[in-house]
Amino acid sequence: MKKIDKTTYHKRTTIKSLIKDTIFFRPYHILILQCMLLSGCTDFVEVDPPQNILIAETVFEDSATVESAMANLYFNMREQGMVSGNFGLTPTLGIYTDELDYYGFNVDLAQFYNHNIIATNNRVELWWNQAYNLIYGANAIIEGEESSKALSNSERNRFKGEALFIRSYMHSQLVGLFGDVPYIQTTDYQENNRVSRLPESAVYDHIIMDLEEAVGLLEGQEPVTSNKVIPDAYTAKALLARMHLYVGDWAQAVSYATDLIQNFQLETDLDRVFLKASSETIWQLQADDQFPINTSEGGTLTIELVPGQTYALTEQLLSSFEENDLRYEEWTEPISDTDNTITFYYPHKYKADYNETESLEYSILFRVAEQYLIRAEARARLGDLIGAANDLNRIRERAGLAATQANTQTELLEAILKERQLELFTEQGHRWFDLKRTGNAGTLLGAIKPNWNETNLVLPIPESQLELNPNLLPQNAGY
């Protein structure tokens, strides 16, 4: 693929091919997500009640309008917050951990890189606000479909299932970043003004309950599209497998991961893993059909000129690859200055940049390779060492590596976590969440981040939110 120039997103981007014959920004379509799209309503606690009335009276009169409202949720996931795009978890948590070095001049990102984040950090506030705005939109869908007389039972089930998935997915990101957070299940502005934070364990319980309900509503539904851009029952199961791994319910993690492994195929060619037609993709966010027609991840992380790089892969990551690991060859790319005096490596999973004239890649959020590694870890923790090694070796063999030599539970768990580092690098912050949940963050990051402190395991609650709602106090320790 030819190299592509980096360029910026513009707000007129649409996803009109996501749902056929849909125009997202007509006034009666946008009502449900007005809070998300207008800068004057950035905080979920500021939503006023008239909006609920408009939603109930207009959006749910027919399925096409609800389709449009759902598409707006996916559009905002792709464009504006932690899920994807220039502001997403991938580059920001990459520099927070040992994946990426940062060479830019953005003050907020420098705080992430140097581990001296403050409670007024704009990136932190953006993530919090946009996540809860998406949750508000999902709750509006759930409340609206329940009262609609125009939708069929099948349509109600699908829309509610998708919305429950979005609600649980965004909360899963929030709890991973901030620790104790509110779990918002309503659009009632009075209730949201008084909301308090729940313990992490309670948040995970709510996430899992929502996902189980979503699976029940979505299972058996005909796919809306063939390109895996609309979350379905498999997507909900993929997040369930991840959540059960995070909370230590190993048997359930094995069960859900097995379902995914039986229904999706690993790509044998590493060069095809991140193409939009990849057989191992479970859910992806569709790129625009106008601009950018490929992923912002590719544009953001690709180095086109040295000097001029913003991000580059760390020596810690590069040195972790074994000799002859095909992922090093296929998923990293070197670039040198004109005098060949210095060379940087950048992630090359997404190979199509902004000058590509054809849409080749979408932003992949769930793929079956992760499910093999989920099942491997869960099996190892259950004592099924043979099964764990088999799953681990499926990923290693595709990377051109020999079968693992690990044969004890401790050795296997260490090998699986290393394989997660190399398979999932620069993908939605997997490295950070793994270091945090396994208790390895301090040991590994403390050695390379001079400002590392154990309080860095969670981000600060945005100061603006604490001022709006004192029930969110106390602030996370260290901030």
Side-chain angles (χ1 to χ4, degrees):
M1 296 178 189
K2 57 186 179 183
K3 294 195 173 180
I4 321 176
D5 294 332
K6 187 187 299 183
T7 252
T8 57
Y9 271 103
H10 57 75
K11 299 221 176 188
R12 296 177 59 195
T13 306
T14 64
I15 332 168
K16 64 185 180 184
S17 60
L18 182 65
I19 297 173
K20 188 176 180 181
D21 299 325
T22 298
I23 302 174
F24 297 145
F25 295 104
R26 291 178 180 170
Y28 60 91
H29 285 174
I30 206 169
L31 290 172
I32 193 169
L33 296 178
Q34 198 170 15
C35 180
M36 297 167 63
L37 300 177
L38 299 180
S39 59
C41 195
T42 55
D43 300 310
F44 76 94
V45 292
E46 296 180 32
V47 178
D48 11 333
Q51 217 165 20
N52 298 339
I53 298 169
L54 291 172
I55 290 168
E57 291 179 352
T58 60
V59 173
F60 297 95
E61 291 175 353
D62 63 76
S63 61
T65 351
V66 189
E67 295 270 18
S68 186
M70 293 300 308
N72 267 312
L73 291 176
Y74 303 130
F75 170 83
N76 279 275
M77 277 186 168
R78 194 191 79 200
E79 295 293 318
Q80 297 182 357
M82 67 173 70
V83 176
S84 181
N86 297 327
F87 305 111
L89 297 179
T90 293
T92 312
L93 292 185
I95 63 175
Y96 198 61
T97 59
D98 56 353
E99 291 185 325
L100 294 171
D101 285 320
Y102 181 63
Y103 297 91
F105 303 99
N106 181 282
V107 173
D108 298 309
L109 290 179
Q111 289 178 15
F112 272 88
Y113 185 55
N114 295 314
H115 280 253
N116 54 9
I117 296 172
I118 59 177
T120 55
N121 183 285
N122 292 313
R123 182 64 55 96
V124 171
E125 185 167 9
L126 170 71
W127 284 354
W128 178 282
N129 290 341
Q130 196 258 4
Y132 278 112
N133 283 331
L134 281 166
I135 290 165
Y136 174 87
N139 287 335
I141 295 284
I142 293 167
E143 293 170 7
E145 63 79 22
E146 288 174 347
S147 60
S148 173
K149 294 181 172 57
L151 301 176
S152 68
N153 286 335
S154 177
E155 289 168 338
R156 270 198 291 270
N157 288 345
R158 181 166 70 81
F159 293 135
K160 184 177 182 180
E162 286 184 45
L164 284 168
F165 170 78
I166 292 171
R167 184 168 81 184
S168 57
Y169 179 64
M170 297 314 303
H171 279 109
S172 76
Q173 306 282 44
L174 286 164
V175 71
L177 294 170
F178 296 99
D180 299 349
V181 294
Y183 201 91
I184 305 299
Q185 297 173 287
T186 178
T187 61
D188 185 329
Y189 79 107
Q190 292 180 327
E191 182 175 336
N192 290 339
N193 279 340
R194 300 187 300 269
V195 74
S196 299
R197 296 160 67 188
L198 295 178
E200 284 188 41
S201 59
V203 176
Y204 281 113
D205 287 343
H206 281 296
I207 291 169
I208 289 169
M209 284 190 291
D210 271 354
L211 288 171
E212 288 173 345
E213 184 177 359
V215 169
L217 292 167
L218 294 171
E219 201 134 45
Q221 293 269 2
E222 288 295 321
V224 180
T225 66
S226 60
N227 54 3
K228 304 171 186 175
V229 297
I230 304 294
D232 56 14
Y234 289 125
T235 316
K237 290 176 182 179
L239 184 53
L240 272 167
R242 185 186 295 175
M243 292 296 95
H244 282 300
L245 184 78
Y246 283 13
V247 301
D249 190 340
W250 316 125
Q252 286 286 68
V254 168
S255 177
Y256 282 112
T258 298
D259 196 344
L260 275 297
I261 289 166
Q262 291 173 343
N263 284 281
F264 292 83
Q265 298 295 319
L266 282 174
E267 283 284 353
T268 56
D269 183 355
L270 287 172
D271 203 37
R272 296 188 54 82
V273 170
F274 293 91
L275 296 179
K276 66 182 184 181
S278 170
S279 64
E280 74 178 71
T281 298
I282 298 169
W283 181 44
Q284 58 191 350
L285 290 175
Q286 181 171 348
D288 189 30
D289 60 352
Q290 296 179 27
F291 180 83
I293 60 173
N294 288 288
T295 71
S296 62
E297 287 84 355
T300 298
L301 297 175
T302 297
I303 302 175
E304 297 175 351
L305 189 66
V306 176
Q309 73 283 354
T310 302
Y311 306 96
L313 292 172
T314 64
E315 179 58 33
Q316 287 85 3
L317 175 62
L318 293 170
S319 63
S320 296
F321 286 97
E322 296 176 39
E323 189 176 356
N324 300 320
D325 191 327
L326 296 177
R327 292 170 299 196
Y328 182 87
E329 178 183 342
E330 297 291 343
W331 291 355
T332 75
E333 184 77 7
I335 183 171
S336 303
D337 61 358
T338 54
D339 296 327
N340 288 319
T341 58
I342 187 169
T343 299
F344 293 100
Y345 283 77
Y346 60 87
H348 204 221
K349 290 180 170 181
Y350 294 109
K351 297 175 171 57
D353 22 28
Y354 290 131
N355 285 341
E356 181 63 60
T357 58
E358 181 184 355
S359 179
L360 301 171
E361 298 169 341
Y362 294 163
S363 297
I364 297 172
L365 302 180
F366 289 91
R367 57 191 182 94
V368 79
E370 180 198 358
Q371 299 300 315
Y372 274 99
L373 294 170
I374 286 173
R375 192 171 72 173
E377 182 177 343
R379 281 176 162 175
R381 294 188 185 276
L382 288 169
D384 179 7
L385 303 188
I386 294 176
N390 288 340
D391 285 336
L392 174 61
N393 287 333
R394 286 295 306 276
I395 303 301
R396 289 181 58 82
E397 287 163 7
R398 182 175 69 171
L401 299 173
T404 183
Q405 297 300 302
N407 52 30
T408 69
Q409 184 184 55
T410 299
E411 289 173 346
L412 269 170
L413 287 172
E414 289 176 356
I416 291 163
L417 288 172
K418 181 179 179 182
E419 208 64 36
R420 287 181 64 90
Q421 176 192 14
L422 301 176
E423 179 70 23
L424 303 173
F425 74 92
T426 60
E427 290 185 51
Q428 296 89 49
H430 278 293
R431 176 63 169 167
W432 168 244
F433 297 126
D434 284 347
L435 291 177
K436 178 181 175 180
R437 70 183 175 83
T438 58
N440 291 318
T443 301
L444 292 173
L445 299 183
I448 61 173
K449 299 283 187 178
N451 296 322
W452 167 261
N453 191 295
E454 286 301 314
T455 57
N456 298 151
L457 288 172
V458 291
L459 300 180
I461 306 300
E463 186 174 290
S464 60
Q465 292 299 311
L466 297 178
E467 292 172 353
L468 284 166
N469 180 9
N471 291 330
L472 297 175
L473 289 165
Q475 175 62 277
N476 284 331
Y479 301 102

